[in-house]
């Protein structure tokens, strides 16, 4: 009985350790002077015109949001992007304090929204996702054509 309990505990710990998010952050220095990071490891597995990507932003000065206790120094957002329609949706968001401790999170993908509303927002010119797509798919060192 004790061996069974220890075995189950070891399995649980092993599975949880594998579920931790491992990110490889690459910086984007946008044309408007802002800076943010994207998870390059998710781009490596992208196939087709739809993909999910984590974006990390820092806030200086920190931001305050209604319903979140404390100052938000960093936020990490999982975006769902559809390149065909040039639209996106938000699947997850994480907020962090000065000590890099998660102070609030929300999962919009539980349950997963239907395809008809998953990509609800247009990617507009000079937005964070515009600069991301320019970094990923635009010609290096050249101006990219406006999206709209």
């Amino acid at each position: 009985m004790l061996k069974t309990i220890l075995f189950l505990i070891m399995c649980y710990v092993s599975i949880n350790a594998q579920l931790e998010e491992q990110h490889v952050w690459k910086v984007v220095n946008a044309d408007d002077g802002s800076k943010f990071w994207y998870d390059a490891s998710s781009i490596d597995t992208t196939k087709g015109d739809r993909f999910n990507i984590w974006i990390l932003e820092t806030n200086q000065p920190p931001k305050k949001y209604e319903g979140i206790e404390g100052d938000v120094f960093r936020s990490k957002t999982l975006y769902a992007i559809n390149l065909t329609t040039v639209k996106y949706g938000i699947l997850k968001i994480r907020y962090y304090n000065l000590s890099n401790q998660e102070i609030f999170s929300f999962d919009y993908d539980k349950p997963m929204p239907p395809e008809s509303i998953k990509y609800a927002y247009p990617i507009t010119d000079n937005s964070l996702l515009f600069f991301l797509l320019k970094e990923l798919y635009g010609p290096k060192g050249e101006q990219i054509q406006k999206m709209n």
Side-chain angles (χ1 to χ4, degrees), residues 51 83 123 129-138 147:
F51 63 96
L83 296 174
I123 297 174
L129 292 178
F130 173 84
F131 292 123
L132 173 70
L133 294 179
K134 180 180 175 183
E135 175 75 18
L136 296 176
Y137 301 109
M147 295 215 174

